[in-house]
Amino acid sequence: MTVTDRIDRFVIDPFGADIAGESARLRALGPVVPVELPGGIPAWAPTGYDVLKQLILDPQVSKDPRRHWKLWPEIGEHPSWGWILGWVGVVNMLSTYGADHTRLRKLVSPSFTHRRTEAMRAQVEAVTAELLDALAAAGADGGVVDVKAGLAHPLPLRIICDLFGVPDEMREDTRRLIAAIMDTTDPSPEHAASVQQQIGTVLPALIAHRSEHPGDDLTTELIRVRDEDGDRLSDEELLYTLLLVIGAGFETTVNLIGNAVVALLRRPEQLAAVRAGKITWDAVVDETLRVHPSIAALPLRFAVTDLEVGDVTIPAGDAIITTYAAAGLDPAHYGPDADVFDASRGADDHLAFGIGVHRCIGAPLARMEALTALPALFDRFPGLRLAAAEGELRQVPSFIAFGWQEVPVRLDG
């Protein structure tokens, strides 16, 4: 129950300890369920594939809280709601609607062309090889090493920081900022203030550095867009666009690689089929994104008008979360074994990268990094095995991010 309404709401676990189980419990309640997000924020959660796809594609569903969230004026009255500002209190492609979204996407998307992604391939391969060498050295004595810390985390961090020209001395601050935004376990005003303080220092420092030292990087390109035609990209939009594309280009790929490694090591018969060429690495990536999407639920979208979903009405002005995990695990779409990782099923229609005008522009880069790192890892260490039992791995503390805190392995089998 929240102070803003009297609907009985399903309380979302801010730690995301059992995202699959929570998705199933929500699905049992109906196609769209009133929920309470951390801090008491009311929203609606679609629970199946078809409903989520319908809402994502509906032009009467907005991402702009200033225009379409009826509770936007109340945020200041609820200190525990401050964490949501890192998601909706920004001005970028994630929080705009209609013409504003189209304008921002057109300004940013040329920086994520197929040509630029392909130009990064050699660098991704070189960084992967370097990280695998370091893993081999760390695990030479047969001890446990963490694939997330040794590969899944540093690879996308280095690539995205290189792509955006983040100097070495700013990379740890950048990593810390993204981690703070993804952490949904602390709805305190202090945490929200810390996130806003980091946004207000880390990214302006990057913009100032690249303004003074321009280079062949995406931050420099975006600065030029602002400087050459400031009515098309404002200072605020530049700041928050960098926040979005750096964060999305890093955290999601970390989880994609880590989740795929765990899924394959838990299913040796599928790993054997991949090695035998019976299942492609592309199929592994797609099935990972279906069963363990890097983003489980993304806040927030808003009903522009009353929306009818089955026999439920989402009132105009209400918030909606984008429930990628629930959609990927929907038995009505993927069959009774939807909760089972099976890369041979060919589930390339997953929604994990979004769909329509809001499809992730960085998806090709994330896929290329995963398709480089995963085969290289399993080729280098054919005896790789998990060093943790089924219930010992810990989920990242977030209802948004879907991944493991560590991926402990032994390299020698």
Side-chain angles (χ1 to χ4, degrees):
M1 191 79 70
T2 76
V3 296
T4 59
D5 58 49
R6 297 185 178 278
I7 299 175
D8 289 332
R9 294 183 174 272
F10 186 107
V11 179
I12 297 295
D13 176 14
F15 289 86
D18 181 18
I19 289 173
E22 185 173 79
S23 296
R25 292 189 292 275
L26 282 166
R27 194 175 300 111
L29 298 175
V32 62
V33 176
V35 297
E36 180 179 299
L37 304 184
I41 299 174
W44 293 86
T47 65
Y49 182 98
D50 291 338
V51 171
L52 179 61
K53 183 176 180 180
Q54 168 195 332
L55 291 173
I56 290 176
L57 294 175
D58 192 334
Q60 296 305 309
V61 175
S62 167
K63 283 190 165 188
D64 189 336
R66 294 163 183 81
R67 295 169 59 188
H68 299 122
W69 190 18
K70 66 184 179 186
L71 298 181
W72 176 252
E74 293 185 22
I75 283 187
E77 302 171 19
H78 304 285
S80 62
W81 293 12
W83 68 270
I84 201 67
L85 291 174
W87 294 95
V88 303
V90 295
V91 184
N92 56 33
M93 290 179 292
L94 199 63
S95 60
T96 48
Y97 173 72
D100 285 335
H101 174 266
T102 300
R103 172 178 59 85
L104 288 173
R105 189 177 179 93
K106 283 183 176 178
L107 291 173
V108 176
S109 57
S111 299
F112 288 87
T113 61
H114 175 74
R115 178 192 61 80
R116 186 183 283 273
T117 298
E118 283 303 306
M120 298 288 292
R121 185 179 297 277
Q123 183 182 357
V124 171
E125 292 172 349
V127 174
T128 298
E130 176 188 331
L131 294 172
L132 292 180
D133 286 344
L135 268 180
D141 61 354
V144 174
V145 295
D146 183 359
V147 166
K148 179 175 180 177
L151 177 66
H153 186 280
L155 173 62
L157 179 62
R158 285 175 59 174
I159 296 304
I160 204 70
C161 285
D162 286 349
L163 193 60
F164 281 88
V166 181
D168 291 345
E169 64 272 18
M170 295 184 186
R171 296 190 176 193
E172 177 56 25
D173 287 341
T174 302
R175 182 207 64 78
R176 191 180 298 114
L177 166 60
I178 302 306
I181 291 174
M182 288 289 179
D183 184 354
T184 58
T185 64
D186 184 0
S188 70
E190 292 76 17
H191 176 73
S194 173
V195 170
Q196 293 304 311
Q197 185 271 335
Q198 290 179 67
I199 292 174
T201 55
V202 175
L203 297 175
L206 172 60
I207 294 168
H209 175 80
R210 280 296 155 212
S211 296
E212 186 174 349
H213 307 285
D216 182 17
D217 59 81
L218 299 197
T219 300
T220 298
E221 287 188 15
L222 291 172
I223 290 171
R224 288 197 187 107
V225 172
R226 177 199 63 179
D227 292 346
E228 292 174 5
D229 197 348
D231 63 341
R232 294 174 62 219
L233 187 65
S234 67
D235 286 340
E236 183 182 40
E237 289 169 342
L238 170 63
L239 178 75
Y240 291 130
T241 294
L242 286 171
L243 176 66
L244 171 62
V245 290
I246 292 175
F250 158 53
E251 180 71 21
T252 53
T253 311
V254 172
N255 292 335
L256 170 56
I257 296 171
N259 291 346
V261 170
V262 171
L264 287 175
L265 291 180
R266 283 178 169 173
R267 292 157 187 84
E269 75 289 348
Q270 290 194 48
L271 177 56
V274 174
R275 284 179 163 147
K278 298 177 182 177
I279 297 175
T280 66
W281 284 107
D282 268 306
V284 169
V285 168
D286 281 326
E287 184 69 350
T288 301
L289 290 168
R290 181 190 73 82
V291 180
H292 305 291
S294 302
I295 298 295
L298 192 62
L300 288 168
R301 298 182 187 224
F302 313 97
V304 176
T305 61
D306 287 356
L307 302 172
E308 305 299 327
V309 180
D311 59 356
V312 176
T313 299
I314 301 176
D318 275 17
I320 304 165
I321 57 174
T322 312
T323 47
Y324 299 117
L329 297 170
D330 183 4
H333 188 80
Y334 290 109
D337 65 342
D339 60 338
V340 176
F341 182 96
D342 179 6
S344 67
R345 77 170 75 232
D348 59 357
D349 65 342
H350 62 81
L351 302 175
F353 283 135
I355 191 172
V357 298
H358 290 288
R359 181 170 171 81
C360 175
I361 61 174
L365 178 61
R367 181 178 287 273
M368 186 265 282
E369 290 181 55
L371 290 174
T372 301
L374 291 169
L377 173 69
F378 285 98
D379 287 347
R380 179 70 178 269
F381 306 113
L384 193 71
R385 63 183 173 90
L386 274 178
E390 184 82 16
E392 291 179 350
L393 294 182
R394 299 178 299 158
Q395 154 71 16
V396 171
S398 174
F399 83 91
I400 297 173
F402 196 4
W404 304 110
Q405 293 188 45
E406 306 94 10
V407 182
V409 298
R410 296 185 188 276
L411 305 177
D412 58 353

